[in-house]
Amino acid sequence: MNTFDRSLYLRYSDALSHPCDHSHAVFSFFSENADINVVHPFNKLEGVEGYLSNFVRPLQEAFEGLYRRDDIFMSGQFEGQKWISCTGYYVGRFAQDWIGLKATGTLSYLRYGEFHRIEDRKVVESYIFIDIPEFMIACNQWPLSIGPGLSRGYTGLIQGPASRDGVIVNDCDPAEGQRSYQLVTDMLACLATKNEAWRPYWHENMMWYGPGAFGSFVGVDEFASFQVPFESQFERWSGGSMNNGLTRHFTRFGERDYTCSGGWPSLTGINVKPFLGQGPTKERIFMRVCDWWRRENDLLVENWVFVDVPHLLLQLDYDVFKETNIQLQI
């Protein structure tokens, strides 16, 4: 990816790192008719005006002193298209109700992960993940129980890379990015295997930073104690890295020792056991998922994961926003 596209995001990121009206930065970054997709309950938003009026401005009104910080930023190409991706936190005081959640009046963190496709020096397509369940849990407003059989991992503020080098501002050796990409691609092909063939790709003390409703885990054995039962709750798994006609990665690329991917949806399976206290429905469900991975040498050591859990639960006949009496105006 050329340096202009990298600087395009860095200017945008710098503007959003200060508490101010972010409208001008949004207009400068996105094409007027950009295809912008945000997790449920926002979903598909119409162009930059739809994104501003339905997401950005309400968020700024709800969070006093709102700014955001990137923990990872990277750029690359996928199937001939230019992409940038980033993940980090919005930070501010939760001063006014937002999407029906009651303001706490306290410092709050809202985790985001974003992917933007670039054409003619503008964003034309975006997929924006927000970990709303993590935020709801922090506010004590998550309607589902947290405990054995549901979410038993750590839920709370998630750190950026232990190496403190996740924001990549300079061009890198493409061979290192390809090495990272191939390691993750090979690992993904081994998921949902009876012999846990994915294990050799991970460091023994790896960190898996999962979405709020799933929880986060340290160590490959602890992660397996979540991953294996999770896989068993669905049959006929298929993922975005496979040519399955049901799901696809809208992007997947590596840069330096990082790799990212995302799909809308990315995973699919038939729900055959209770999941998050719901079901089984015996129906095929689809998961919007994105990831960032960091490797050290030839092993994966950290993995940041988003799943659009409210959208997933809706397919299991559970509406988290209805359960919390949220009245949405989107």
Side-chain angles (χ1 to χ4, degrees):
M1 172 166 288
N2 63 46
T3 55
F4 176 86
D5 289 329
R6 195 187 298 274
S7 66
L8 172 70
Y9 178 77
L10 292 173
R11 288 194 300 271
Y12 177 69
S13 175
D14 181 66
L16 269 61
S17 68
H18 306 284
C20 62
D21 183 356
H22 294 156
S23 299
H24 177 72
V26 171
F27 274 115
S28 298
F29 187 56
F30 291 91
S31 171
E32 180 181 357
N33 297 314
D35 178 11
I36 304 176
N37 304 275
V38 186
V39 292
H40 187 71
F42 302 96
N43 300 297
K44 186 176 178 62
L45 300 178
E46 297 297 332
V48 67
E49 280 289 358
Y51 180 56
L52 279 167
S53 61
N54 288 294
F55 182 76
V56 176
R57 289 175 183 140
L59 193 67
Q60 288 203 278
E61 291 170 1
F63 292 84
E64 191 175 87
L66 184 74
Y67 71 96
R68 72 180 216 175
R69 64 173 203 227
D70 287 333
D71 291 322
I72 297 173
F73 160 63
M74 55 191 295
S75 61
Q77 294 195 28
F78 180 69
E79 297 180 346
Q81 299 173 334
K82 295 180 179 181
W83 287 87
I84 56 180
S85 79
C86 59
T87 183
Y89 274 94
Y90 282 98
V91 185
R93 189 175 74 87
F94 189 18
Q96 297 184 35
D97 294 355
W98 178 63
I99 59 169
L101 296 173
K102 300 300 181 183
T104 62
T106 61
L107 171 66
S108 298
Y109 295 86
L110 183 63
R111 189 162 68 111
Y112 65 85
E114 299 184 355
F115 295 81
H116 305 288
R117 183 167 66 85
I118 309 296
E119 285 184 1
D120 299 326
R121 303 180 179 182
K122 288 280 190 175
V123 172
V124 297
E125 181 181 5
S126 295
Y127 298 91
I128 297 174
F129 291 78
I130 304 292
D131 197 338
I132 295 176
E134 179 185 290
F135 179 69
M136 294 173 75
I137 291 168
C139 295
N140 295 316
Q141 296 179 52
W142 179 244
L144 291 172
S145 299
I146 304 297
L150 299 171
S151 174
R152 57 174 183 76
Y154 163 81
T155 296
L157 187 67
I158 289 175
Q159 296 291 322
S163 52
R164 307 297 185 192
D165 62 354
V167 177
I168 304 174
V169 299
N170 298 310
D171 292 339
C172 307
D173 180 357
E176 287 300 297
Q178 178 61 30
R179 181 181 174 191
S180 300
Y181 171 89
Q182 194 61 54
L183 178 64
V184 167
T185 300
D186 292 345
M187 182 277 297
L188 291 174
C190 295
L191 292 176
T193 52
K194 291 183 178 180
N195 63 349
E196 300 176 30
W198 48 267
R199 274 182 175 260
Y201 295 91
W202 294 90
H203 190 281
E204 182 180 358
N205 203 44
M206 54 84 82
M207 297 290 297
W208 191 80
Y209 307 111
F214 291 13
S216 297
F217 303 89
V218 58
V220 69
D221 289 336
E222 182 69 10
F223 170 62
S225 73
F226 161 80
Q227 179 68 15
V228 174
F230 170 66
E231 290 177 352
S232 75
Q233 291 162 328
F234 300 87
E235 291 182 350
R236 295 172 63 187
W237 276 109
S238 196
S241 60
M242 306 172 188
N243 184 21
N244 59 25
L246 297 172
T247 64
R248 64 177 295 271
H249 283 160
F250 51 75
T251 194
R252 186 171 74 255
F253 61 88
E255 186 169 41
R256 215 180 58 209
D257 45 1
Y258 291 87
T259 307
C260 65
S261 76
W264 199 272
S266 177
L267 289 174
T268 183
I270 297 173
N271 176 222
V272 295
K273 294 181 182 179
F275 176 67
L276 292 177
Q278 313 306 312
T281 65
K282 307 296 184 180
E283 301 289 337
R284 180 170 293 279
I285 59 89
F286 295 86
M287 301 185 195
R288 301 166 173 173
V289 183
C290 67
D291 290 77
W292 287 259
W293 296 265
R294 183 176 72 87
R295 68 170 172 86
E296 289 183 358
N297 299 315
D298 293 322
L299 293 176
L300 298 170
V301 292
E302 293 184 283
N303 182 196
W304 296 260
V305 184
F306 288 77
V307 177
D308 188 352
V309 175
H311 175 258
L312 167 58
L313 284 170
L314 203 61
Q315 298 171 73
L316 302 178
D317 300 321
Y318 188 90
D319 186 340
V320 295
F321 300 110
K322 180 180 180 181
E323 294 299 327
T324 52
N325 298 312
I326 292 177
Q327 300 298 315
L328 297 169
Q329 302 299 319
I330 298 169

